[in-house]
Amino acid sequence: MTQTPLNIGVLGAGRVGTAVARQAVRAGHTVTIATGKPAADIRLLTEVIVPGATAVDREDLRSADVIVLAVPLHKYQSVDTSVLRDKVVIDTMNYWAPVDGFMDEFEAGTSTSEVIADFLGAARVVKTLNHIGYGDLEVDSYPAGDPHRRALAVASDDAEAKSLVSAFIDSLGYDPVDAGPLAAGKAFENGTEIFNGRHGAARMQELLSECSRVLCNA
Ligand SMILES: NC(=O)c1ccc[n+]([C@@H]2O[C@H](COP(=O)([O-])OP(=O)(O)OC[C@H]3O[C@@H](n4cnc5c(N)ncnc54)[C@H](OP(=O)(O)O)[C@@H]3O)[C@@H](O)[C@H]2O)c1
């Protein structure tokens, strides 16, 4: 890894949280992982599934440089917002009514991450990692410059947070592509060509531009 190692906190020890945590450990970052339960409850799981990461209580994530939020979207209101206050938070979550149930706030046409940012209040929300399957994250990773390298879109209203997260995405083995503000995250939500596909950086840029002209009305 060429980037500076970061302290990465992961909230949610399910499919996505553990896959991101494993890839982050592999990239040389210091990784802590928590759920809503005490650290002891996920210590064994962490040792076995994410060797190199440390299970912590959720309050201990506050010392992380970046916190990856990987809980089911329908549970977002149960997240302890005090842990995420003023933190750079990667929102990996997606809305899918058959799984999450019908939720009015996610049917209104805004990006789901705007709803999450409103809920979290002071957090510096960055949307990315939602549009890659958890099973792909580790196997689709390539070094910078490799022609097979896949791109991941990154959206945020906070330029500094977006830059930090983009460096993190690069360290995981993906080309970060700036998607613009959080509202533009609609371009890579469930049902879009970006969400359903595997794209290099040039094609990702094209798809994001098409979206900003058509879908996002920007
Ligand atoms: N499927 C994919 O490939 C994919 C890819 C990218 C993004 N996503 C999105 O990522 C999100 C997470 O999906 P997943 O499949 O990883 O879910 P999952 O396997 O069900 O895991 C969810 C994790 O979140 C924890 N959790 C639940 N409520 C919490 C809370 N209030 N505070 C802290 N931790 C909490 C759970 O802990 P307990 O078990 O203790 O409740 C569990 O460890 C979803 O929105 C999904 O759409 C999915």
Side-chain angles (χ1 to χ4, degrees), residues 126-128 131 151-163 165-166 169 175-182 184-185 187-188 194 201 204-209 212:
V126 182
K127 184 184 189 75
T128 190
H131 54 298
L152 293 177
V154 184
S156 180
D157 297 334
D158 183 321
E160 195 186 350
K162 184 157 56 178
S163 170
V165 170
S166 294
I169 294 296
D175 280 338
V177 176
D178 188 346
L182 213 48
F188 49 101
I194 294 176
M204 177 68 81
Q205 195 63 68
E206 273 175 20
L207 289 167
L208 289 168
S209 302
S212 67

Side-chain angles (χ1 to χ4, degrees), residues 108-123:
T110 54
S111 162
T112 60
S113 293
E114 291 176 280
V115 176
I116 297 304
D118 280 350
F119 173 72
L120 296 180

Side-chain angles (χ1 to χ4, degrees), residues 11-17 34-37 58 70-73 75 78-80 92-95 100 129-135:
L11 189 59
R15 288 162 288 200
V16 174
T35 63
K37 297 175 182 152
R58 67 179 186 277
V71 313
L73 191 61
K75 292 192 173 168
S78 69
V79 169
D80 181 352
T92 70
M93 301 182 294
N94 294 303
Y95 175 56
D100 292 303
L129 289 174
N130 68 306
H131 54 298
I132 179 166
Y134 71 93

